[in-house]
């Protein structure tokens, strides 16, 4: 089994929510550091999902931030779920490790957006620079490669 290079979707969601709650509560990273006896870099790593956080620490953080009970319980559940491997982990031998992140993102997605290029041709010219391409042909080639990656997941 390969070591993950990127934080999971669940860890990212947990980290972003903890950071947002800290900001809303007006608590400084220094105060978190003191309350949990962490280093400043640990606070940063937890809030950027580069380090996991224990359920007990999530509870302490929620208390420090004055978080509502329902949000606290959701964060505790998210912290537990973040430690679990996804259903796809048992298929590691059947797919290249590079696809693990794609499969995880797809399984955690809550909605899907579809883009019909035929109907959007006029706006396509405006999209070219936004997508980092120089021409419509280059953009279509890039999108074609993305579609092939997506199709290989099915």
């Amino acid at each position: 089994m390969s070591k993950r290079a990127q934080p999971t979707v669940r860890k990212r969601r947990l980290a972003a929510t903890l950071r947002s709650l800290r900001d809303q509560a007006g608590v400084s990273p220094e105060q978190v550091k003191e309350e949990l006896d962490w280093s400043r870099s640990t606070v940063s790593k937890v809030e950027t999902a580069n380090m996991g956080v224990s359920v007990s620490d999530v509870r302490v953080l929620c208390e420090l931030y004055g978080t509502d009970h329902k949000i606290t319980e959701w964060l505790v559940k998210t912290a537990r779920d973040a430690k679990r491997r996804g259903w796809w982990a048992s298929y590691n031998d059947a797919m290249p490790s590079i696809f693990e992140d794609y499969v995880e993102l797809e399984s955690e997605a809550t909605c899907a957006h579809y883009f019909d290029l035929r109907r959007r041709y006029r706006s396509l010219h405006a999209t070219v620079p936004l997508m980092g391409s120089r021409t419509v042909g280059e953009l279509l080639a890039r999108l074609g490669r993305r579609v092939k990656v997506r199709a290989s997941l099915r």
Side-chain angles (χ1 to χ4, degrees):
M1 192 177 332
S2 65
K3 184 174 178 1
R4 291 193 61 86
Q6 299 293 322
T8 65
V9 173
R10 291 174 230 150
K11 282 183 183 173
R12 289 178 189 169
R13 186 180 302 131
L14 177 63
T17 305
L18 288 172
R19 170 71 186 264
S20 175
L21 289 171
R22 182 179 61 74
D23 287 343
Q24 289 173 15
V27 176
S28 72
E30 234 5 80
Q31 290 170 291
V32 173
K33 172 187 168 235
E34 296 300 321
E35 183 72 27
L36 283 116
D37 197 25
W38 286 353
S39 68
R40 177 64 179 96
S41 67
T42 299
V43 176
S44 175
K45 287 177 183 177
V46 165
E47 290 184 348
T48 57
N50 289 316
M51 180 179 189
V53 61
S54 71
V55 170
S56 60
D57 286 344
V58 168
R59 288 188 191 278
V60 171
L61 288 169
C62 287
E63 186 177 323
L64 178 64
Y65 303 156
T67 307
D68 176 72
H69 176 72
K70 287 183 179 181
I71 294 172
T72 299
E73 290 309 308
W74 178 80
L75 287 170
V76 165
K77 181 184 180 317
T78 304
R80 284 189 182 118
D81 290 346
K83 294 177 183 176
R84 293 192 184 109
R85 298 291 291 168
W87 60 264
W88 57 89
S90 61
Y91 295 99
N92 280 349
D93 61 330
M95 69 176 164
S97 61
I98 193 166
F99 286 116
E100 187 175 347
D101 289 334
Y102 295 117
V103 174
E104 179 189 5
L105 289 169
E106 174 118 354
S107 71
E108 294 287 327
T110 57
C111 65
H113 296 276
Y114 298 95
F115 187 75
D116 185 355
L117 290 179
R118 292 171 296 193
R119 291 183 184 169
R120 306 287 185 209
Y121 185 75
R122 277 183 270 153
S123 64
L124 186 59
H125 290 283
T127 305
V128 170
L130 297 175
M131 296 290 290
S133 301
R134 289 180 292 246
T135 65
V136 171
E138 184 181 322
L139 173 63
L140 292 176
R142 290 176 110 198
L143 291 174
R145 287 193 304 275
R146 290 180 183 180
V147 168
K148 284 181 184 177
V149 168
R150 178 106 162 96
S152 70
L153 292 174
R154 296 189 189 272

